Amino acid sequence: MGNIVAIVGRPNVGKSTFFNRLIQRREAIVDSVSGVTRDRHYGKSDWNGRNFSLIDTGGYVVGSDDIFEAEIDKQVELAIDEADAIIFMVDVESGVTPMDEDVAQLLRKVDKPVLLAVNKVDNNKRLENAVEFYSLGLGEYFPIASTNGSGTGDLLDALIEALPETEAEEETELPRFAVVGRPNAGKSSFINALIGEERYIVTDIAGTTRDSMDTKYNRFGFEFNLVDTAGIRRKSKVKEDLEFYSVMRSVRAIENCDVCLVILDATRGFDGQVQNIFWLAQRNRKGIVILVNKWDLVEDKETNTMKEFEAMIRREIEPFTDVPIVFMSVLTKQRIFKAIETAVKVYESRSKKIKTRELNDIMLPIIEQNPPPAYKGKYVKIKFCTQLPTPQPQFAFFCNLPQYVRDPYKRFIENKLRKEFDLTGVPISVYFRKK
């Protein structure tokens, strides 16, 4: 399980540019999702074989000095509380500012690794000017230029060395289903409805994410771990804190599950935060089931209300529309077991291994009847396909001119794979390679 690293600092020092550079360092694990408040972002990166999650605490609101001080303190304290290490970013162009000193004062009290990154150091003159940041009392600083990556290697080397070792994740063959969604959508109630009165439940196991719990479910022939992300610490004061922890827990749970049960409140709709969680699960290549809870509370339902609601969701998740949607009510327990049956089916589809001969016997005739359109007078000939040995379905199609296969044809192949091999709810990847 990776560590959490927070990037903090005042506005306009280059935090987001640095964040984007880190999450794009390896294409295979790029992942970013906008937070629910003030443009926080969450992502994943790695360096020297160590994975870590990133929090970019951007978007401070600058008003009067008092308003700004309260806002920056809250942002930094939230990030510090969740993080294993902090990167404090400052700007060599403006030098040490009172805002920098405010943040430094908070960080000097923290019993966690703090790395001071002096950004925009792209020439020798600025390298000399960076010396003044010793005055912040945080020890050694790292001169970097986030726009071109200069100096980031030394910073990341020091970060990896400073990060605490993480406990090895307990090996288990049981599927892990993460119940995710915005606060008050019914996540805890859904899990309680499933396990509350059942005596077949074993024990609660401490999860890999802070304050999440894995509950082993063994009933009606199903056995899996339910990951509850609803156990949010009510830190104090404001709703914003609650949503920060909700999103961070969802991010961590999604990264370490097999299937995401995305619960939404039917009375609120498929809003921005739910969409962020959905796309995070999709980019992590997890199985997905959308659960529309509180359907019994929707007023003025007519014959087509459910179909129209479902159609609205599918428009929002294009082009990945092949996702099961279950309308349920946790309060009345309507269709809650249908939700579990669907999740198990998606897990089985995600774990499916298709024999190469079967894959070719089915897909090559389809390709022969519907070949890729000619591009620049060139004709693509696909001769062979195989499933790659990855945890989720990925397929390689070997052809003479892979560079001329356009995106619409890739989507055509993906849709045929879904239809022929029942891959509903599973993000799949299709690659065209030189034979």
Side-chain angles (χ1 to χ4, degrees):
M1 185 64 196
N3 299 103
I4 301 176
V5 177
I7 306 171
V8 302
R10 60 181 177 80
N12 302 318
V13 296
K15 298 188 302 297
S16 293
T17 304
F18 180 67
F19 171 85
N20 289 336
R21 175 168 290 279
L22 290 192
I23 67 167
Q24 292 169 3
R25 189 165 297 280
R26 277 187 56 191
E27 184 179 355
I29 57 170
V30 169
D31 187 24
S32 173
V33 58
S34 295
V36 293
T37 55
R38 291 180 173 82
D39 297 322
R40 290 194 192 91
H41 288 79
Y42 309 87
K44 289 195 301 182
S45 188
D46 78 332
W47 185 256
N48 291 343
R50 287 282 297 275
N51 296 325
F52 52 92
S53 296
L54 288 165
I55 312 171
D56 171 21
T57 58
Y60 297 140
V61 178
V62 182
S64 69
D65 291 342
D66 289 342
I67 293 174
F68 179 80
E69 183 178 354
E71 179 65 23
I72 197 169
D73 286 358
K74 183 166 61 180
Q75 293 270 352
V76 174
E77 287 170 357
L78 283 169
I80 287 170
D81 187 71
E82 194 74 4
D84 298 300
I86 300 103
I87 296 175
F88 174 27
M89 187 165 288
V90 292
D91 179 356
V92 72
E93 287 184 343
S94 55
V96 177
T97 69
M99 298 176 190
D100 294 330
E101 292 173 346
D102 288 342
V103 180
Q105 184 175 355
L106 288 169
L107 294 177
R108 284 195 295 269
K109 303 174 184 177
V110 174
D111 188 23
K112 294 181 180 181
V114 177
L115 289 85
L116 178 61
V118 183
N119 195 22
K120 306 180 184 178
V121 180
D122 51 12
N123 59 51
N124 289 333
K125 177 64 175 175
R126 291 183 172 182
L127 185 60
E128 295 174 3
N129 293 340
V131 174
E132 70 170 299
F133 287 95
Y134 274 122
S135 65
L136 293 175
L138 295 172
E140 182 183 2
Y141 64 86
F142 296 86
I144 67 168
S146 58
T147 54
N148 61 25
S150 173
T152 56
D154 291 339
L155 172 61
L156 291 174
D157 286 343
L159 173 67
I160 296 305
E161 187 175 342
L163 284 173
E165 290 292 331
T166 55
E167 295 181 7
E169 191 171 335
E170 184 178 341
E171 291 294 327
T172 176
E173 295 182 359
L174 289 181
R176 302 187 78 233
F177 297 168
V179 182
V180 295
R182 63 176 303 145
N184 303 317
K187 299 186 295 294
S188 289
S189 299
F190 174 66
I191 292 177
N192 289 338
L194 287 173
I195 68 175
E197 297 179 1
E198 306 296 349
R199 300 307 176 197
Y200 291 85
I201 308 309
V202 188
T203 56
D204 284 336
I205 309 162
T208 59
T209 59
R210 295 182 179 127
D211 294 336
S212 291
M213 297 296 290
D214 279 15
T215 301
K216 188 174 180 181
Y217 182 90
N218 184 351
R219 185 64 166 155
F220 304 116
F222 298 135
E223 187 174 12
F224 50 83
N225 283 329
L226 272 173
V227 185
D228 179 8
T229 61
I232 302 165
R233 293 171 289 182
R234 297 187 177 272
K235 271 306 196 185
S236 51
K237 323 141 190 167
V238 294
K239 180 180 178 182
E240 181 179 341
D241 294 8
L242 188 69
E243 295 206 348
F244 174 87
Y245 288 108
S246 173
V247 173
M248 198 62 228
R249 272 167 191 72
S250 295
V251 170
R252 302 291 277 177
I254 288 169
E255 290 173 357
N256 295 279
C257 75
D258 299 298
V259 177
C260 292
L261 305 179
V262 182
I263 294 188
L264 63 99
D265 182 338
T267 63
R268 300 187 65 166
F270 194 62
D271 61 19
Q273 185 175 345
V274 181
Q275 291 178 37
N276 284 335
I277 292 171
F278 173 87
W279 289 115
L280 178 61
Q282 187 271 338
R283 284 192 294 269
N284 273 273
R285 322 310 290 171
K286 306 300 183 181
I288 302 174
V289 180
I290 296 175
L291 305 180
V292 183
N293 188 27
K294 306 184 185 180
W295 189 245
D296 55 315
L297 300 182
V298 175
E299 298 178 353
D300 302 323
K301 288 196 288 283
E302 297 179 358
T303 305
N304 293 325
T305 303
M306 184 180 293
K307 289 183 179 179
E308 291 171 356
F309 199 101
E310 180 176 335
M312 177 274 294
I313 293 176
R314 296 199 188 280
R315 284 195 300 272
E316 296 292 342
I317 63 177
E318 289 179 345
F320 181 34
T321 58
D322 188 25
V323 176
I325 301 173
V326 179
F327 291 80
M328 67 178 195
S329 168
V330 170
L331 186 64
T332 64
K333 297 191 176 182
Q334 182 183 25
R335 298 193 190 94
I336 62 171
F337 293 106
K338 173 69 173 176
I340 290 303
E341 290 173 358
T342 305
V344 171
K345 185 176 180 181
V346 168
Y347 171 77
E348 291 171 348
S349 296
R350 185 175 183 266
S351 308
K352 187 176 293 184
K353 304 300 179 186
I354 304 168
K355 293 181 179 179
T356 300
R357 181 171 180 176
E358 180 186 2
L359 186 65
N360 282 269
D361 286 347
I362 292 175
M363 293 304 298
L364 291 184
I366 293 174
I367 292 169
E368 186 175 348
Q369 293 175 10
N370 303 274
Y375 184 75
K376 294 183 177 181
K378 304 289 186 179
Y379 291 89
V380 178
K381 296 181 180 179
I382 301 171
K383 297 295 185 182
F384 178 74
C385 54
T386 187
Q387 184 176 359
L388 300 176
T390 53
Q392 66 281 343
Q394 297 187 356
F395 302 90
F397 288 76
F398 293 89
C399 58
N400 59 333
L401 298 168
Q403 68 274 25
Y404 291 137
V405 180
R406 317 315 294 170
D407 286 342
Y409 193 77
K410 291 179 181 178
R411 286 194 291 272
F412 167 77
I413 292 295
E414 178 180 330
N415 290 335
K416 289 298 182 183
L417 286 166
R418 291 186 180 283
K419 179 181 177 182
E420 297 295 335
F421 299 103
D422 191 16
L423 297 174
T424 297
V426 182
I428 66 177
S429 301
V430 177
Y431 304 99
F432 288 84
R433 296 178 176 173
K434 182 76 173 178
K435 182 171 174 59

